[in-house]
């Protein structure tokens, strides 16, 4: 997903160690693209030839001109720019997941039709996964249309990640959490009495948790989007770290699965969930490391401008994490269909997702109406 550069010094952005060059570049106007030149004839630019908001940490070259036309943006995905592999590292996974979900809904051989209420949580989850990758691709391709559209694509990208996080929680809530001993009062009440000596009826606590999971995840999704949008303003000195942190917050909704593995024999009872759950979080830790550290381009600025910079690696490892997640969500669906409890309701699944779309849309509209930000370089 697109990123914004951290400030180098007072009001100046760009790769570290190039402040003098930045001062010199600031004294001359940015080159403007020729309206008559075809896209293929327009050379790529260096970091000191583009507006500050387009400059990425430690990326010195490979920048496209601003503004580009939509046709030029699309043509750039086949050229060696510093955004090309950012696009392909999420476009290829988008196609893979689209194929995967089409098979799950339409070609799985189950007796359950694609429109059955039992599959509503899967629709929520699938829409989140596909929207995240699609919005990331769109933002990377069309971010050089204009400054305002660039900001809009950033905001939509953040919102799509929040939407995906909430969709994941919906799938967990219906397909994974009901099978946990941790959320079964018949298991937990004697467990607490035996291990801790407390005579506590866990029925009320578990019921309260089940009632709060989706509302809390909903609020976290909105709050994360607000925080990420605000991270594009000058008050935030470490936007990459902030965005990485706030998008970890919704992952707390998966804490019951982690606790299940600590308190009970999850590896023996559900090895598929155990292996893929922890491998997913390993990929997420690796992805967060690259997103925050800006390695390897931090070590050798300019060498990884086109191929191998941290954001491409971040994309690859987030794809691997979601691939593992899809695997154990599918397994949870199989277990759910063997002995389904009450069918998920429309309001408790799709209704929540639609309400979230409205709330996230209002957040984005508020930030886009901030004309001071949209005009800021």
């Amino acid at each position: 997903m697109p990123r914004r550069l951290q400030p180098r010094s007072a009001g100046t952005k760009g790769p570290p160690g190039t402040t003098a060059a930045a001062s010199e570049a600031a004294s001359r106007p940015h080159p403007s693209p020729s309206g008559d030149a075809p896209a293929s004839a327009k050379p790529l630019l260096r970091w000191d030839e583009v507006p500050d908001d387009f400059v990425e940490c430690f990326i010195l070259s490979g920048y496209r001109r601003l503004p580009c036309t939509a046709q030029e943006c699309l043509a750039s995905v086949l050229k060696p720019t510093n955004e090309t592999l950012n696009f392909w590292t999420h476009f290829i996974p988008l196609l893979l997941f689209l194929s995967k979900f089409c098979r799950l809904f339409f070609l799985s051989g189950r007796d359950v039709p694609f429109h059955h209420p039992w599959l509503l949580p899967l629709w929520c989850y699938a829409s989140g996964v596909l929207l995240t990758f699609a919005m990331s691709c769109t933002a990377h391709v069309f971010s050089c249309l204009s400054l305002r559209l660039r900001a809009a694509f950033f905001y939509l990208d953040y919102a799509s990640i929040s939407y995906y996080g909430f969709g994941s929680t919906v799938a967990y809530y219906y397909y994974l959490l009901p099978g946990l001993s941790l959320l079964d009062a018949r298991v937990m009440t004697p467990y607490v009495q035996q291990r801790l000596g407390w005579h506590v009826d866990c029925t009320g606590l578990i019921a309260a948790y089940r009632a709060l999971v989706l509302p809390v995840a909903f609020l976290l999704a909105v709050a994360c989007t607000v925080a990420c949008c605000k991270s594009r303003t000058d008050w935030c000195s470490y936007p990459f770290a902030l965005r990485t942190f706030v998008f970890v917050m919704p992952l707390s909704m998966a804490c019951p699965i982690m606790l299940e593995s600590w308190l009970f024999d999850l590896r023996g009872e559900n090895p598929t969930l155990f292996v893929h759950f922890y491998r997913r979080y390993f990929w997420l830790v690796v992805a967060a490391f690259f997103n925050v550290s800006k390695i390897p381009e931090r070590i050798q600025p300019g060498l990884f401008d086109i191929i191998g910079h941290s954001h491409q690696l971040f994309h690859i490892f987030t794809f691997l994490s979601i691939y593992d997640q899809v695997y154990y969500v599918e397994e949870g669906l199989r277990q759910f269909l063997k002995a389904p409890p009450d069918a998920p309701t429309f309001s408790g699944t799709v209704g929540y997702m639609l309400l979230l779309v409205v709330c996230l849309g209002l957040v984005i509209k508020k930030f886009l109406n901030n004309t001071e930000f949209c005009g800021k370089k």
Side-chain angles (χ1 to χ4, degrees), residues 186-243:
R186 295 169 299 179
V187 175
M188 284 305 298
T189 297
Y191 180 89
V192 171
Q193 293 175 354
Q194 179 182 357
R195 291 297 182 91
L196 302 178
W198 298 350
H199 296 280
V200 177
D201 185 358
C202 297
T203 304
L205 294 174
I206 293 174
Y209 175 81
R210 289 182 180 277
L212 291 174
V213 167
L214 293 181
V216 169
F218 186 97
L219 294 176
L220 279 177
V222 176
C224 286
T225 304
V226 171
C228 285
C229 290
K230 286 184 71 66
S231 74
R232 289 188 52 78
T233 57
D234 282 336
W235 71 270
C236 182
S237 299
Y238 303 98
F240 306 111
L242 174 63
R243 293 168 202 160

Side-chain angles (χ1 to χ4, degrees), residues 250-300:
L251 300 180
S252 62
M253 296 294 102
C255 282
I257 299 175
M258 189 173 297
L259 292 174
E260 179 84 7
S261 70
W262 294 347
L263 301 178
F264 301 96
D265 185 20
L266 181 63
R267 175 182 288 182
E269 296 177 359
N270 194 337
T272 299
L273 176 58
F274 181 87
V275 171
H276 290 278
F277 178 81
Y278 277 102
R279 193 164 68 184
R280 159 176 161 76
Y281 279 86
F282 171 76
W283 297 136
L284 286 175
V285 169
V286 175
F289 167 78
F290 283 114
N291 194 43
V292 175
S293 69
K294 299 303 167 190
I295 291 174
E297 65 268 22
R298 177 186 291 271
I299 299 173
Q300 187 65 52

